[in-house]
Amino acid sequence: MLTTVFYILSAITLATAFLTIFSRNPIHSAIYLVICFFSIAGHYLLFNAQFLAVVHIIVYSGAIMILLLFTIMLMNLNKEDEKHKSGLTILAAVASFCLVAFVLLAAFIKSMPIIEEYYVSGEDYQSIKILGQVLLDEKNGFMIPFEFASVLLLVSMIGAVLLSKKEEKISL
């Protein structure tokens, strides 16, 4: 029974992920992404990680999708009115992408398997206290990359809004 549910959730996740990427309408892409997030939360429930499933639904399906929809609405994606972006804008976008990729790569390289010490101590790995210690402990050092990535995401969202604003012509 669990295997069947897993395969169904996997099919839904993959299908909605591909539809998110290949959909021409940005609103439809956002809806497909929400469905994908819910199916990933179903995977968390299958792995008996209820806390992660609830946080995933609240954070991703709630807050981030609302911000994404506001950003899509502010960008006004009409192709007729769109001007070509300058080389400086493209260079800034590439630099931002490389910076975010560098932060994520540094976080993955710095990470090490630390689960063994929590299993040896006999503590419940599902508890919020242990999860917080694993993610944000001073010894593991995930707090600085986490905060840095959040600031980079905020700056990139502000940049997208500023790039999408129309320039007003001043006439005398």
Side-chain angles (χ1 to χ4, degrees):
M1 178 67 182
L2 288 177
T3 307
T4 307
V5 172
F6 176 78
Y7 285 131
I8 291 171
L9 281 175
S10 298
I12 292 171
T13 302
L14 290 174
T16 55
F18 281 120
L19 286 172
T20 299
I21 295 170
F22 294 121
S23 178
R24 297 212 182 264
N25 189 343
I27 302 298
H28 290 161
S29 291
I31 291 170
Y32 292 136
L33 189 59
V34 168
I35 295 170
C36 184
F37 286 157
F38 273 100
S39 63
I40 291 171
H43 283 284
Y44 288 142
L45 288 175
L46 284 177
F47 292 130
N48 202 19
Q50 293 85 5
F51 175 73
L52 231 60
V54 171
V55 167
H56 185 79
I57 288 173
I58 291 171
V59 171
Y60 286 108
S61 298
I64 290 181
M65 284 310 301
I66 294 299
L67 288 174
L68 180 67
L69 285 176
F70 280 142
T71 305
I72 287 172
M73 286 189 268
L74 282 173
M75 287 178 67
N76 191 12
L77 299 172
N78 291 333
K79 291 188 179 184
E80 298 88 27
D81 299 337
E82 186 175 335
K83 297 184 294 186
H84 292 289
K85 303 294 182 197
S86 67
L88 184 63
T89 305
I90 294 171
L91 182 66
V94 169
S96 298
F97 171 77
C98 290
L99 195 57
V100 169
F102 175 73
V103 168
L104 291 175
L105 185 65
F108 287 137
I109 289 173
K110 186 168 173 50
S111 67
M112 57 186 142
I114 52 171
I115 298 172
E116 294 90 18
E117 66 186 59
Y118 293 107
Y119 280 131
V120 170
S121 66
E123 294 187 51
D124 182 21
Y125 194 62
Q126 281 290 324
S127 73
I128 298 171
K129 179 181 175 185
I130 300 298
L131 189 62
Q133 285 176 350
V134 168
L135 291 177
L136 302 174
D137 196 10
E138 294 165 359
K139 181 178 72 172
N140 301 325
F142 287 119
M143 183 177 259
I144 301 298
F146 178 78
E147 291 296 328
F148 192 58
S150 67
V151 169
L152 281 175
L153 288 172
L154 177 67
V155 168
S156 66
M157 187 183 75
I158 292 171
V161 170
L162 289 177
L163 287 174
S164 68
K165 290 185 85 167
K166 302 270 188 232
E167 294 181 14
E168 296 181 15
K169 295 180 181 177
I170 300 174
S171 60
L172 298 174

